[in-house]
Amino acid sequence: MSLNLLSPSEIKSLSFLDSSKSNYSLNLLKFQGGLPLKRKEYRCTVAKRVHCSAQPPPPPAWPGRAVVEPGRKTWDGPKPISIIGSTGSIGTQTLDIVAENPDKFRIVALAAGSNVTLLADQVKAFKPQLVSVRDESLVKELKEALSDLEHKPEIIPGEQGIIEVARHPDAVTVVTGIVGCAGLKPTVAAIEAGKDIALANKETLIAGGPFVLPLAHKHNVKILPADSEHSAIFQCIQGLPEGALRRIILTASGGAFRDLPVEKLKNVTVADALKHPNWNMGKKITVDSATLFNKGLEVIEAHYLYGAAYDDIEIVIHPQSIIHSLVETQDSSVLAQLGWPDMRLPILYTLSWPERIYCSEATWPRLDLCKVNLTFKMPDNVKYPSMDLAYAAGRAGGTMTGVLSAANEKAVEMFIDEQIGYLDIFKVVELTCDKHRAELVTSPSLEDIIHYDLWARDYAASLQPSIGKRAVLV
């Protein structure tokens, strides 16, 4: 890529993306309609609080290959599963899979946020032993909704309840569908309890990779990716010999604005950004698809999951979303995983790995290549400056990747709430990462990761527009 953030020992008083090789900032500002985004009088310089380290990067979850280890854990009957975030998109789709395969999986514990009605229905249908609701004030309502059950589950509210669901003694695999850094502590608890992780929470690796990966290795825990792109890579590296992986190619749909001239981006609305051409997803991930921040974050995940260098991870626009990602081996062969856009398949594989479970054509349509036309193109760095930001943060490492993710999440929230314009998302993220360089921690603890996640959200929120929706950040 054209931008490469300097190592901690080389950081100077430069903008996060200052580079002689890139005109990203200039190009972006040209499309702001004459309203430049102005930085406060913060010019970050290296300070004593920068934590430099010569330590090597954390060990990847799957170092370029995936093999089943001898003596892998076994269990009697259907595989016992816990779900964190059971009422969200990942959680509900996981439960659909369990309902379709009662001979393969069973639910032992569920954790949800505030959707008590849906949680109660899930409890009645799947009969977990333990349930958690994040909002403690909703416990009474949940108990009333479950009052007619003969065998009632134990209910533990709040963060502690989510942690107990994650480390339930009977669970073999924990599906982490909770959004944001709220999923970090439960994931850590699950790893320390020896549970395999069906990973749908991006922050686990993007923010927590330097801490979580060594912990997973220590406890011999497998991290199984539940998103479509990394599941595709995971499937492609099954059985590869050591050292065979040469390159990872992440495919991207291009989102709502893939065919829109870059000059028109300054006028797009929230409604425009939410019109994804292929996938039906939540608001945040749909906006991330429009900005391509989702793919930039997946680059960082790919580095942590598979140990690939950032120079060996590429992004290509594939509008049809049929090829979910590809890997190139040392002999230049390219392996790909194909399928209809359906999140159930990667979720299913995290639950069944290393086995393959038969799926009925009635509910899992089979791919017909004669009905699809596959095309590809290189992404435009001017239209998608998120790529340069993500590669820069990834090369900086440490707490920078978590700051990038948290700042983006806050910026998207402000955009959806119409506090800032679409192009301002990129500047909010850049300004936040730029400010963080002075306090970058290269080998963070869990407390460091959580601290800078919260800091990034607060700092991004402080970059408030001074006039109207077409923001001037001051």
Side-chain angles (χ1 to χ4, degrees):
M1 300 296 294
S2 60
L3 294 177
N4 188 350
L5 188 68
L6 302 174
S7 66
S9 61
E10 298 172 315
I11 293 175
K12 304 180 188 299
S13 56
L14 300 173
S15 167
F16 182 64
L17 282 180
D18 279 348
S19 169
S20 61
K21 296 182 180 180
S22 174
N23 58 358
Y24 150 70
S25 295
L26 176 61
N27 282 324
L28 180 60
L29 290 176
K30 285 199 303 186
F31 302 123
Q32 293 293 331
L35 295 176
L37 296 171
K38 295 183 178 178
R39 188 188 314 265
K40 289 183 180 179
E41 293 305 314
Y42 296 129
R43 295 298 292 183
C44 297
T45 56
V46 174
K48 293 182 179 179
R49 294 181 66 183
V50 175
H51 299 262
C52 298
S53 172
Q55 292 185 1
W62 302 94
R65 60 197 295 257
V67 294
V68 181
E69 296 176 350
R72 180 171 169 77
K73 66 187 75 170
T74 59
W75 55 92
D76 295 326
K79 186 177 186 178
I81 295 167
S82 289
I83 303 177
I84 303 170
S86 68
T87 57
S89 175
I90 296 297
T92 55
Q93 291 181 86
T94 302
L95 290 173
D96 287 344
I97 293 169
V98 173
E100 190 173 343
N101 299 275
D103 59 325
K104 302 293 185 182
F105 312 112
R106 66 185 177 92
I107 299 298
V108 296
L110 296 174
S114 57
N115 192 338
V116 171
T117 301
L118 180 54
L119 178 59
D121 290 341
Q122 293 174 346
V123 171
K124 293 174 183 178
F126 296 96
K127 300 176 175 57
Q129 302 165 28
L130 173 64
V131 175
S132 174
V133 59
R134 184 180 61 233
D135 188 343
E136 297 188 26
S137 67
L138 298 175
V139 171
K140 181 179 179 181
E141 182 181 346
L142 179 59
K143 287 182 176 179
E144 290 174 353
L146 301 176
S147 60
D148 58 343
L149 280 185
E150 181 179 355
H151 300 290
K152 297 178 177 60
E154 180 182 6
I155 299 174
I156 304 177
E159 182 181 65
Q160 188 59 39
I162 300 172
I163 289 173
E164 295 304 326
V165 167
R167 65 186 182 195
H168 191 282
D170 291 348
V172 170
T173 296
V174 179
V175 179
T176 60
I178 194 170
V179 176
C181 261
L184 259 178
K185 286 185 178 179
T187 302
V188 167
I191 292 172
E192 290 176 337
K195 315 298 181 184
D196 285 343
I197 306 298
L199 182 66
N201 173 278
K202 288 183 179 294
E203 286 75 17
T204 296
L205 290 184
I206 293 169
F211 177 83
V212 168
L213 287 170
L215 189 69
H217 277 263
K218 175 182 176 181
H219 293 278
N220 195 28
V221 162
K222 300 302 181 187
I223 297 179
L224 304 157
D227 65 314
S228 60
E229 293 80 7
H230 289 114
S231 176
I233 297 165
F234 183 61
Q235 292 178 62
C236 288
I237 66 173
Q238 297 298 310
L240 285 185
E242 186 173 355
L245 181 63
R246 184 176 186 176
R247 180 172 55 135
I248 288 174
I249 305 168
L250 295 167
T251 56
S253 69
F257 305 133
R258 68 188 180 203
D259 299 319
L260 188 72
V262 68
E263 294 83 0
K264 295 186 177 181
L265 289 177
K266 64 180 180 292
N267 296 319
V268 300
T269 66
V270 175
D272 295 330
L274 294 178
K275 295 175 182 176
H276 196 285
N278 299 344
W279 298 87
N280 182 17
M281 306 178 293
K283 290 184 178 181
K284 196 268 182 183
I285 186 60
T286 304
V287 174
D288 278 352
S289 182
T291 63
L292 222 67
F293 259 115
N294 67 326
K295 212 55 50 179
L297 295 173
E298 286 167 13
V299 166
I300 297 168
E301 281 189 282
H303 170 74
Y304 282 133
L305 277 168
Y306 306 112
Y310 284 102
D311 287 344
D312 298 326
I313 306 170
E314 298 180 7
I315 299 170
V316 63
I317 301 295
H318 170 48
Q320 296 80 26
S321 297
I322 297 297
I323 296 180
H324 298 298
S325 277
L326 313 90
V327 301
E328 182 185 18
T329 56
Q330 295 293 347
D331 59 5
S332 77
S333 293
V334 176
L335 311 177
Q337 188 267 328
L338 289 72
W340 296 118
D342 188 340
M343 277 300 300
R344 293 178 303 163
L345 180 57
I347 295 170
L348 173 63
Y349 196 56
T350 65
L351 302 180
S352 69
W353 182 83
E355 307 299 329
R356 294 280 187 174
I357 293 178
Y358 172 79
C359 295
S360 167
E361 291 185 45
T363 52
W364 300 71
R366 298 168 73 181
L367 180 64
D368 185 346
L369 286 174
C370 295
K371 294 181 179 179
V372 295
N373 178 33
L374 306 181
T375 61
F376 308 88
K377 63 180 180 180
M378 293 299 296
D380 182 347
N381 286 48
V382 176
K383 180 181 284 188
Y384 303 113
S386 51
M387 294 188 298
D388 288 334
L389 286 163
Y391 276 89
R395 288 177 170 124
T399 49
M400 186 64 79
T401 52
V403 165
L404 174 94
S405 177
N408 173 63
E409 188 171 330
K410 189 63 183 181
V412 170
E413 178 187 317
M414 291 192 291
F415 168 65
I416 291 173
D417 291 341
E418 300 188 345
Q419 296 175 340
I420 63 174
Y422 173 78
L423 290 176
D424 297 337
I425 294 172
F426 306 107
K427 288 304 294 181
V428 167
V429 176
E430 183 192 356
L431 291 170
T432 306
C433 290
D434 189 34
K435 180 65 175 176
H436 179 59
R437 291 182 312 114
E439 296 187 9
L440 174 64
V441 182
T442 58
S443 297
S445 65
L446 181 60
E447 291 72 24
D448 290 330
I449 292 164
I450 294 172
H451 168 76
Y452 283 109
D453 174 88
L454 296 173
W455 171 86
R457 295 170 195 273
D458 288 344
Y459 186 79
S462 74
L463 300 170
Q464 291 296 323
S466 61
I467 57 169
K469 183 179 173 182
R470 296 258 65 85
V472 175
L473 300 180
V474 295

